[in-house]
Amino acid sequence: MKYVVVDLEMNPVSREFRDVRRKMNEEVIEFGAVRLDENFEQEAEFQCYVAPAYGPIKKHITNLTGITQAMVEGKEAYAVCFQNFVDWIGEAETKIYSWSMSDIKQLKKECRFKMPEFDVTWLDDRWVDLQQEFDNRLGLHNSLALKHALGAMDHQFKGTQHTALADAINTSAILVLMQDDEKFRATMQPVLDILQPKEDLASSIGDLCPDLLKLKDNL
């Protein structure tokens, strides 16, 4: 079994492409992934920029990711980059992880639009929402953002946030930690302590002021 952790960066489809926007609002402009072996040791990296087909890189995307129009000029189209990614994953039995399901939803939308011949069930069969597994393990009702999850485990982010390969590498650190349940629980115990349900307020007041409870009972 192999394990791939992937992250994508996207750019909005320009407003003039109204028909396209009915099918997808964004396009992938960067793939980043790491592959772990059966012992959850990193063995390979994958990174590529993608030339957007429906509009230039937006300024706020450059501000967020550092990806400029010049960086995607002359790069391969989505179909080529995605096929290269699939080839890199290989034929071996592989689980694919991402932080939330937004990335697989984007890939499925873009494949249906740009690569209608690709069987998107291939993704469904392999994909795992690591964020949901993390939340379930901790018993969280609200999902943690990647940076907060890493902060909770006292992990120093490596590289630049919102760059696909760096995000994938750092997400893989969470996957690795989760393989040792005892270590995971010990590492996350400070977070669990904070999130424990608070003692009933009335009981707390009663313990501090028992005379108040006697007064209440006599009313």
Side-chain angles (χ1 to χ4, degrees):
M1 175 71 75
K2 302 283 186 175
Y3 308 91
V4 167
V5 182
V6 61
D7 185 76
L8 308 173
E9 300 301 334
M10 275 85 77
N11 185 62
V13 172
S14 294
R15 294 185 180 277
E16 60 264 31
F17 298 101
R18 293 181 180 179
D19 291 342
V20 176
R21 286 170 62 88
R22 293 190 183 99
K23 302 292 181 63
M24 59 179 193
N25 293 321
E26 298 177 302
E27 295 182 278
V28 174
I29 54 172
E30 185 186 11
F31 284 86
V34 293
R35 188 171 66 235
L36 310 178
D37 64 17
E38 60 276 7
N39 298 314
F40 291 90
E41 296 286 340
Q42 182 176 322
E43 65 176 19
E45 297 179 354
F46 178 90
Q47 189 277 337
C48 72
Y49 293 113
V50 186
Y54 300 104
I57 303 297
K58 303 298 187 287
K59 183 177 180 180
H60 73 277
I61 296 298
T62 297
N63 291 338
L64 178 68
T65 67
I67 300 173
T68 65
Q69 184 63 30
M71 293 167 67
V72 298
E73 290 288 353
K75 301 301 182 182
E76 298 285 3
Y78 172 84
V80 175
C81 292
F82 178 76
Q83 188 60 58
N84 289 341
F85 174 60
V86 171
D87 293 342
W88 175 81
I89 290 174
E91 296 297 327
E93 187 177 359
T94 307
K95 286 187 178 181
I96 307 172
Y97 293 84
S98 65
W99 195 254
S100 88
M101 293 299 282
S102 60
D103 285 344
I104 185 175
K105 289 178 181 177
Q106 176 63 32
L107 290 179
K108 289 168 70 174
K109 285 180 182 179
E110 207 155 343
C111 283
R112 288 189 181 109
F113 186 76
K114 297 179 177 179
M115 303 173 64
E117 73 285 356
F118 182 80
D119 180 10
V120 293
T121 59
W122 182 88
L123 294 170
D124 290 321
D125 293 341
R126 299 191 181 203
W127 209 278
V128 180
D129 182 352
L130 185 61
Q131 184 183 46
Q132 189 62 60
E133 286 203 347
F134 179 89
D135 294 341
N136 291 344
R137 185 79 67 88
L138 290 179
L140 301 179
H141 298 295
N142 296 315
S143 296
L144 287 180
L146 175 60
K147 66 177 182 179
H148 294 144
L150 290 167
M153 57 184 274
D154 199 25
H155 175 83
Q156 187 68 35
F157 193 96
K158 298 178 181 178
T160 304
Q161 292 186 38
H162 301 296
T163 58
L165 182 57
D167 281 356
I169 290 171
N170 286 278
T171 302
S172 72
I174 298 175
L175 177 61
V176 172
L177 177 63
M178 290 177 65
Q179 303 317 302
D180 185 332
D181 192 61
E182 183 176 347
K183 185 177 180 181
F184 178 78
R185 300 290 296 188
T187 301
M188 302 306 298
Q189 193 58 51
V191 177
L192 293 172
D193 291 342
I194 293 173
L195 297 174
Q196 286 296 325
K198 302 301 181 185
E199 188 178 10
D200 180 75
L201 181 59
S203 298
S204 298
I205 293 174
D207 291 340
L208 292 172
C209 307
D211 290 341
L212 287 179
L213 285 184
K214 291 180 183 178
L215 178 62
K216 174 179 176 293
D217 292 338
N218 291 330
L219 291 177

